């Protein structure tokens, strides 16, 4: 069906590590993320699996990452009317998902034991889900579906709101006590579903604090999430320096990168999108007039 010989498929399943390029990429916190990038042939196989198998199966309603038509703004929109938040990170999310769990997931889809073993071998490397494989995001959502249902079901019974954006879990309520009492139960569910909570990144947020969820910010006086005042000030400075030819920013050092960020705003913060467009056009006109 995928026009790859059985011999090649067998060799990948037996020794998948030979078909990956491995390198490290620095995270925002200074630590390193290990990337395993499949070669051209394996990537084509994984793309076929993604298109013909995984994309057909919908994850839970609580999953907002790696879902067509959803974005970070969908992850926070259900929380906009609440005042108190728990933000929890799942440590080593992709690597914590074993080949055995992936094989089991294919088996639950209805594939035979042999087919599930082969599909699991084509989508994993060195015993777990590789960061870099095109199938990993969709598979992570499917493996975490039981986690979503358990936390989501508990949250609905206790007047809390729950969403998950990849490895970022968010719970919110208008009752701080409810959230505090729920935390031990949530941590227990995470552990029994074979994920590891990163307690160093556990945050409880509320009025008087800067409520930042998956990169978007909510202030006490607003019922919406946006990029926040600090980020807007920073980007105005970046745009001004770029347009007038002074020192450029390391990340936003081209017109394409700046317009790309503005396009991101159109999706996550439409009010700021309009404001930043007006500001950019204003300083461009000012720059032209000064020449």
């Amino acid at each position: 069906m995928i026009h790859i010989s059985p011999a090649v498929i067998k060799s990948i399943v037996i020794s998948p590590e030979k078909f990956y390029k491995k390198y490290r990429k620095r995270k925002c916190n200074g630590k390193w993320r290990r990337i395993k990038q499949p070669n051209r042939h394996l990537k084509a196989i994984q793309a076929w699996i993604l298109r013909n198998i995984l994309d057909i199966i919908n994850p839970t309603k609580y999953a907002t990452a790696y879902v067509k038509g959803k974005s970070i703004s969908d992850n926070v929109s259900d929380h906009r009317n609440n005042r108190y938040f728990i933000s929890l990170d799942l440590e080593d999310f992709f690597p914590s998902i074993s080949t055995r769990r992936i094989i089991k997931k294919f088996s639950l889809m209805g594939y035979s034991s042999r087919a599930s073993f082969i599909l699991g071998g084509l989508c994993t490397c060195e015993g777990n889900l590789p960061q870099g494989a095109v199938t990993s995001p969709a598979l992570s959502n499917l493996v975490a579906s039981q986690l979503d249902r358990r936390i989501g079901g508990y949250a609905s019974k206790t007047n809390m709101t729950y969403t998950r954006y990849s490895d970022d879990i968010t719970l919110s309520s208008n009752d701080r006590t409810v959230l505090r009492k729920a935390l031990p139960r949530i941590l227990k569910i995470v552990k029994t579903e074979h994920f590891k909570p990163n307690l160093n990144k556990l945050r409880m947020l509320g009025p008087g604090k800067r409520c930042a969820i998956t990169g978007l910010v909510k202030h006490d006086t607003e019922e919406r999430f946006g990029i926040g005042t600090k980020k807007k000030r920073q980007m105005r400075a970046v745009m001004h320096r770029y347009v007038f030819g002074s020192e450029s920013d390391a990340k936003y050092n081209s017109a394409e990168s700046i317009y790309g960020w503005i396009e991101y705003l159109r999706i996550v913060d439409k009010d700021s999108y309009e404001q930043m467009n007006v500001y950019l056009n204003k300083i461009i006109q000012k720059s032209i007039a000064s020449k």
Side-chain angles (χ1 to χ4, degrees):
M1 292 174 71
I2 59 176
H3 306 292
I4 303 292
S5 73
V8 171
I9 291 177
K10 184 178 180 181
S11 65
I12 295 172
V13 173
I14 292 173
S15 302
E17 66 279 356
K18 295 179 181 179
F19 296 82
Y20 286 85
K21 176 185 176 183
K22 301 167 190 175
Y23 59 94
R24 296 191 307 164
K25 187 175 181 180
R26 191 180 290 276
K27 299 180 184 179
C28 296
N29 60 10
K31 294 183 179 180
W32 294 92
R33 176 180 285 111
R34 193 181 183 197
I35 306 296
K36 299 175 186 177
Q37 182 178 336
N39 67 13
R40 181 168 56 88
H41 295 295
L42 180 52
K43 186 177 180 180
I45 293 172
Q46 290 175 347
W48 186 94
I49 294 171
L50 178 65
R51 186 171 58 252
N52 292 278
I53 300 175
L54 302 178
D55 279 350
I56 298 171
I57 304 170
N58 293 322
T60 66
K61 64 180 181 179
Y62 307 104
T64 56
Y66 320 129
V67 180
K68 189 175 181 179
K70 287 191 176 183
S71 68
I72 288 178
S73 59
D74 294 290
N75 186 62
V76 298
S77 60
D78 288 346
H79 300 278
R80 64 185 180 278
N81 294 319
N82 291 333
R83 302 173 65 215
Y84 300 98
F85 307 88
I86 288 178
S87 178
L88 175 65
D89 179 77
L90 301 178
E91 192 169 343
D92 296 326
F93 184 49
F94 282 12
S96 71
I97 299 174
S98 66
T99 301
R100 179 184 59 81
R101 295 173 77 182
I102 298 301
I103 293 172
K104 183 179 179 181
K105 183 57 63 174
F106 280 115
S107 179
L108 290 172
M109 292 179 200
Y111 290 94
S112 67
S113 297
R114 185 164 180 263
S116 297
F117 179 80
I118 292 170
L119 287 165
L122 293 171
C123 296
T124 60
C125 178
E126 297 178 322
N128 55 35
L129 208 58
Q131 288 188 317
V134 296
T135 45
S136 291
L139 282 170
S140 72
N141 271 344
L142 295 178
V143 170
S145 59
Q146 180 66 12
L147 171 77
D148 289 341
R149 283 191 285 268
R150 289 182 66 187
I151 296 180
Y154 175 68
S156 64
K157 292 177 183 177
T158 49
N159 294 319
M160 294 187 297
T161 301
Y162 164 68
T163 58
R164 180 181 57 82
Y165 191 84
S166 186
D167 58 352
D168 288 310
I169 284 175
T170 303
L171 287 139
S172 66
S173 173
N174 279 316
D175 189 330
R176 177 172 19 195
T177 304
V178 167
L179 278 182
R180 288 189 180 277
K181 287 183 177 180
L183 183 56
R185 177 74 174 270
I186 299 302
L187 293 176
K188 184 178 180 180
I189 292 174
V190 169
K191 291 174 183 177
T192 56
E193 289 299 323
H194 307 290
F195 292 104
K196 185 179 179 181
N198 188 342
L199 298 181
N200 292 325
K201 290 187 176 181
L202 173 62
R203 295 176 298 143
M204 295 199 71
L205 308 168
K209 292 185 179 180
R210 181 175 177 269
C211 296
I213 307 294
T214 53
L216 298 178
V217 180
K218 180 179 184 293
H219 296 287
D220 296 348
T221 56
E222 298 179 350
E223 289 189 351
R224 68 178 187 89
F225 283 83
I227 59 166
T229 305
K230 183 179 179 181
K231 186 66 176 180
K232 281 194 276 191
R233 282 201 299 263
Q234 175 196 344
M235 289 308 296
R236 284 194 186 100
V238 166
M239 292 174 185
H240 191 277
R241 289 196 300 267
Y242 181 79
V243 169
F244 286 94
S246 56
E247 182 183 355
S248 64
D249 183 82
K251 185 175 181 180
Y252 302 102
N253 53 12
S254 66
E256 290 78 10
S257 62
I258 291 173
Y259 279 111
W261 181 79
I262 291 176
E263 180 60 20
Y264 161 77
L265 273 190
R266 186 182 64 80
I267 299 170
V268 302
D269 189 345
K270 290 184 178 179
D271 289 345
S272 295
Y273 167 74
E274 294 173 1
Q275 293 171 14
M276 299 304 278
N277 256 324
V278 169
Y279 177 78
L280 181 58
N281 290 329
K282 182 179 178 180
I283 59 174
I284 288 174
Q285 293 301 320
K286 185 176 180 181
S287 173
I288 293 172
S290 66
K291 293 179 180 179

